[in-house]
Every structure is written in C-alpha cells, then in structure tokens.
Amino acid sequence: MDLQLSGRVAVVTGASKGIGLAVVSTLLEEGAKVVATSRKSTPELDALAGPNLVHVPADFMDEDAPAQVVARAVEQFGGLDILVNNAGGPPPGVTLPRGSFLHASDDEWRAMFEFNLFSAVRAIRAAIPHLLERGGGAIVNISSGNARQPSPINVDYGAAKAALSNITKVLSGEFGPQGIRVNTVSPGVVRTPWWTDEGGVADMIASQAGTDKDSVINTVVPEMLNLATGRFVEPQEVADAVVLLASPRSGSTTGAEFVVDGGLLKEL
C-alpha cells in the first residue's frame, strides 16, 4: 500500500533508538524527508544517513530546543508536514520504575512533565504554523498505556502521558477543520534499550526477582502483566501505527488513540 508520504517532511523526536529510530527508518522507506532529533546520534541512526535524513542534536529539557528543531526542518527541506512527538521516558537524573508515589520529589515531577509533556507542547506550538502553510498535516503523539492504567511505580510518568493524550483530543478538535490531524499512539511494554540496556529496567527486575534479564523480558514481565500476546511489543510494530497515522491514507482519523500494547489494557 502506497502511504503517499514520498517527499513529505517529518520531524521525529527521541529519534536515536527504540521507537523513534524505527519511525525514522520507516518514514525514510516510504520516501519522506526526516529531521531526526535526539541528544546525540547512535550507530543505528548513522546507518540511515542519506540525502533525506538530517540529525539535529538537541536536549528537549531546553525550552528553546523544540522550536529550533522545527525551524531547522523548514530551513533544510522547505516546510513541514509531519511531527512525531516521541521523546519521553525518564529525563536526566530521574530513575524509573519507582517503589512508591512517595519516592518522587517535586523536582522529579517537574522534570518528568518538562520532558514528557512540555517539550511536546512546545514542538506542537512551533509546528502548527508551518503545517497550516502546507494546507494541513499530521501530528502523532506517543503516549503510554500508563496514561490509562495508572501505576504507583510510574505515577509521575503516567500523569504526564495522560495530559499528552488529553491535549491530542483538544488539538484535533481545534485544528481538524484546518487540515491538521492529531492522534495518539499508546505503546505498552516495548523491547527498547530502556529495558534491554545493561543496568536497565530488565536488569533491575532480574536483581529483585533473583533471575536473569532474558527471563524477565521473555517470561516474567509478560506473565506479570498478563500480556495477551505473551511477549513485549517490538519497536517496529509501534512505528507501523505511527507512520500509518502520519499518512494521508488516514485522512479521516483524528483525535484517535491507537493502542499497541500486546493486550496490556483489558478495559473498554
């Protein structure tokens, strides 16, 4: 299926690994021009180098960074059609999961909202005028299953993502008549470096459970969360949903939430 993305310009945040990297790769395969932003590049992102890819190093804890990245995309490729707000997770200095709601300080709450909510708000604010100049476009916000299934071990993260999901609905109503579609993708547990890296969440759980990282990823967590598929979500599976929502082929889809979670969420 032709997703009609050839020549369209996209900004992808948190683009150096995991879901963001998979989104960048898929957009490039569909012929899009991509500005990928992250604090630093990775060998995996560097391997995608070509005339349709520009990496812009940026720290989205800096309130000026989102607008600067959007401006670079317009300068480099002449406009903007797609914004994927993927940057998120624990900001620098904050460790997840937590043991309790009581373990998060005010400063950690502020940092979590700065990275997971306000950076996306600033990117959207910078992107909308350029999307309107093109007659519309698509914004895809990466939320989380924790936005709808609250967890005391990720309470501040879940609250920030719930706010992002709320904003998606508001924006879809205000800017839909002007051609801008805004949607949410909510992943569950995804096989990303946050889980798999040395010292990552899988290692933390393995230490507590007296087992090894592979067992945590392949058995312990899927069983603990009662995942219908029995396995973690792969980054590419999330990226496929993101790119479909970014495509004009999803022209009547706005204000929607696409859940890609392996059956984590059980409620209607």
Side-chain angles (χ1 to χ4, degrees):
M1 179 171 67
D2 179 9
L3 294 182
Q4 302 172 9
L5 291 171
S6 181
R8 295 179 187 268
V9 180
V11 167
V12 181
T13 73
S16 63
K17 53 188 176 181
I19 294 170
L21 179 67
V23 171
V24 170
S25 176
T26 307
L27 285 169
L28 290 172
E29 290 173 0
E30 293 295 328
K33 301 175 181 179
V34 183
V35 169
T37 183
S38 56
R39 290 187 184 90
K40 57 185 180 181
S41 190
T42 58
E44 294 80 6
L45 183 58
D46 291 342
L48 300 175
N52 287 344
L53 175 63
V54 174
H55 177 251
V56 179
D59 181 354
F60 269 40
M61 294 296 284
D62 175 357
E63 64 181 31
D64 294 325
Q68 291 170 351
V69 171
V70 168
R72 178 63 186 281
V74 173
E75 175 188 358
Q76 184 75 30
F77 294 124
L80 183 65
D81 303 290
I82 299 161
L83 170 64
V84 180
N85 280 310
N86 173 68
V94 175
T95 300
L96 293 178
R98 304 186 185 283
S100 165
F101 164 81
L102 297 174
H103 293 169
S105 68
D106 282 1
D107 285 344
E108 288 173 320
W109 272 87
R110 291 187 189 100
M112 191 66 72
F113 270 68
E114 189 71 32
F115 191 40
N116 288 277
L117 178 64
F118 298 140
S119 68
V121 168
R122 292 171 184 135
I124 292 166
R125 187 185 295 132
I128 282 176
H130 298 290
L131 297 176
L132 292 174
E133 285 180 8
R134 306 274 268 205
I139 298 171
V140 184
N141 294 321
I142 307 301
S143 184
S144 167
N146 282 138
R148 289 205 285 129
Q149 185 164 300
S151 167
I153 65 174
N154 295 319
V155 58
D156 45 346
Y157 172 75
K161 289 298 192 180
L164 183 61
S165 296
N166 183 285
I167 287 171
T168 297
K169 286 286 190 181
V170 173
L171 292 170
S172 69
E174 179 174 355
F175 292 99
Q178 299 172 71
I180 299 176
R181 298 180 299 103
V182 191
N183 293 288
T184 298
V185 173
S186 294
V189 286
V190 183
R191 192 185 294 267
T192 63
W194 187 64
W195 280 91
T196 60
D197 276 356
E198 184 175 352
V201 179
D203 278 340
M204 293 169 59
I205 295 175
S207 176
Q208 295 166 359
T211 185
D212 60 89
K213 176 165 63 179
D214 288 342
S215 295
V216 166
I217 292 172
N218 295 326
T219 305
V220 174
V221 170
E223 289 182 355
M224 179 176 64
L225 297 178
N226 192 24
L227 299 181
T229 60
R231 64 172 177 83
F232 276 42
V233 177
E234 297 297 333
Q236 186 62 54
E237 295 172 315
V238 182
D240 289 342
V242 171
V243 174
L244 178 60
L245 289 171
S247 165
R249 298 294 290 263
S250 297
S252 291
T253 304
T254 191
E257 179 187 18
F258 276 42
V259 176
V260 187
D261 70 353
L264 171 67
L265 296 174
K266 301 298 192 290
E267 75 278 5
L268 293 174

